[in-house]
Amino acid sequence: MPELPEVEVTRRGIAAYVTGRTISATVARERRLRWPVSSAFDALAGRIVRAVRRRGKYLLFECDDGHLILHLGMSGSLRLLPHDTLPGKHDHVDLVFGDRVLRLRDPRRFGAVLWTQAPLATHPLLGHLGIEPLSRAFNGPRLYALTRGHRVAIKQLLMDARRIVGVGNIYASESLFVAGINPRAPAGRLSRLRCERLVGAVKQTLRKAIRAGGASLRDFVRSDGAPGHFQLRAWVYDRAGLPCRRCGSLVRRIVQGQRATYCCPRCQR
């Protein structure tokens, strides 16, 4: 699933082109996404995109009278293409901007394209979301407060979007390695110092991933069609049985909440 870095890479790739541009047409070849693409999407032609923002893993296209909310789902990607580019089998939705088209490719159809005129803060998909991990508000004291009283493993808390948005499985494993914290450690037992260290590791890991263009494990590509490269630089993710890049111990794979976790038994005691 595209996580915060992949969505942010996508946002940066399209924002410079679509901001200030008028939507000249819309196309919905397949409306059966995670939620059906409504007829309101068909009426977006003529609206100007004032900004493209991100909240967690959602892209928000701001128009004068509402927002188009777009989620890449499990396998989606957005690409900027010449308007006469023929669509492929999984190219379901287009936003046309004159001679260019912003095209959603979503093989598994878990993505979403939703128009809303309601306040974003109360939208059912956005209102419950937690703190942005790249914001100044995400700091050691805040994480320490978030973890108090919780017996859940720290990796699972990092991935709980009600508390912290967009970190995801890859980046949780990587951040915990950078911070030297065992992913199974109870969140509520982390000291203030370890919370400070983990916040720094999360920010460092996410920024590194954005610079690398995200991670392309299966379907994700950037808006220009190029894959991300973060997975090639990972400390532990998907490296089970290989030597730790720091100490040489063999990286282990464990399962937490039905998701694979990778860690070093020596660096993350």
Side-chain angles (χ1 to χ4, degrees):
M1 176 184 290
E3 307 292 355
L4 185 154
E6 290 75 40
V7 179
E8 179 62 18
V9 165
T10 299
R11 188 197 71 79
R12 295 182 185 187
I14 65 177
Y17 183 82
V18 306
T19 301
R21 300 287 297 269
T22 300
I23 301 170
S24 52
T26 62
V27 180
R29 298 179 194 85
E30 174 58 83
R31 295 182 180 272
R32 294 172 300 170
L33 303 184
R34 185 174 182 182
W35 297 281
V37 179
S38 73
S39 58
F41 175 77
D42 305 332
L44 293 183
R47 286 175 168 83
I48 298 173
V49 176
R50 299 298 182 185
V52 183
R53 310 188 195 281
R54 178 190 56 76
R55 181 71 174 103
K57 293 184 280 190
Y58 292 92
L59 288 168
L60 309 173
F61 293 76
E62 180 184 335
C63 300
D64 290 326
D65 59 340
H67 290 81
L68 184 67
I69 302 173
L70 196 147
H71 193 282
L72 298 178
M74 296 290 291
S75 59
S77 61
L78 274 177
R79 293 167 295 154
L80 271 171
L81 303 165
H83 77 283
D84 56 355
T85 302
L86 293 177
K89 177 181 178 180
H90 302 296
D91 293 338
H92 300 316
V93 173
D94 288 353
L95 281 173
V96 183
F97 296 88
D99 62 345
R100 302 280 281 178
V101 60
L102 186 61
R103 179 164 290 165
L104 173 65
R105 182 179 188 274
D106 187 5
R108 298 181 69 180
R109 290 194 285 116
F110 279 122
V113 179
L114 304 166
W115 171 254
T116 183
Q117 293 179 302
L120 293 181
T122 58
H123 192 279
L125 294 178
L126 305 174
H128 70 284
L129 294 179
I131 193 168
E132 288 282 344
L134 290 177
S135 69
R136 292 184 178 180
F138 183 58
N139 53 38
R142 184 69 176 272
L143 180 59
Y144 184 79
L146 283 173
T147 56
R148 294 310 89 190
H150 290 287
R151 297 180 181 179
V152 65
I154 183 57
K155 185 192 176 230
Q156 290 168 277
L157 186 138
L158 280 181
M159 294 175 58
D160 184 349
R162 296 168 299 176
R163 296 182 172 88
I164 306 164
V165 293
V167 175
N169 196 43
I170 300 174
Y171 305 112
S173 285
E174 290 290 292
S175 298
L176 288 163
F177 174 83
V178 172
I181 296 173
N182 190 300
R184 291 172 289 196
R189 295 181 62 182
L190 290 188
S191 66
R192 294 180 186 274
L193 178 61
R194 297 181 91 194
C195 286
E196 288 280 2
R197 189 187 307 158
L198 182 52
V199 165
V202 169
K203 291 177 184 286
Q204 174 187 327
T205 300
L206 294 178
R207 287 170 179 151
K208 178 182 175 183
I210 291 169
R211 290 194 298 270
S216 293
L217 300 179
R218 185 174 299 172
D219 299 293
F220 175 75
V221 294
R222 303 182 315 213
S223 60
D224 60 0
H229 300 289
F230 180 82
Q231 71 277 8
L232 303 177
R233 310 175 186 182
W235 287 105
V236 290
Y237 187 81
D238 203 25
R239 300 191 72 247
L242 296 176
C244 171
R245 298 186 193 275
R246 280 187 178 164
C247 74
S249 299
L250 297 185
V251 173
R252 290 180 182 173
R253 179 187 184 274
I254 61 175
V255 176
Q256 293 179 284
Q258 300 181 333
R259 304 294 297 276
T261 297
Y262 298 86
C263 58
C264 172
R266 181 178 296 175
C267 296
Q268 296 173 261
R269 288 179 179 172

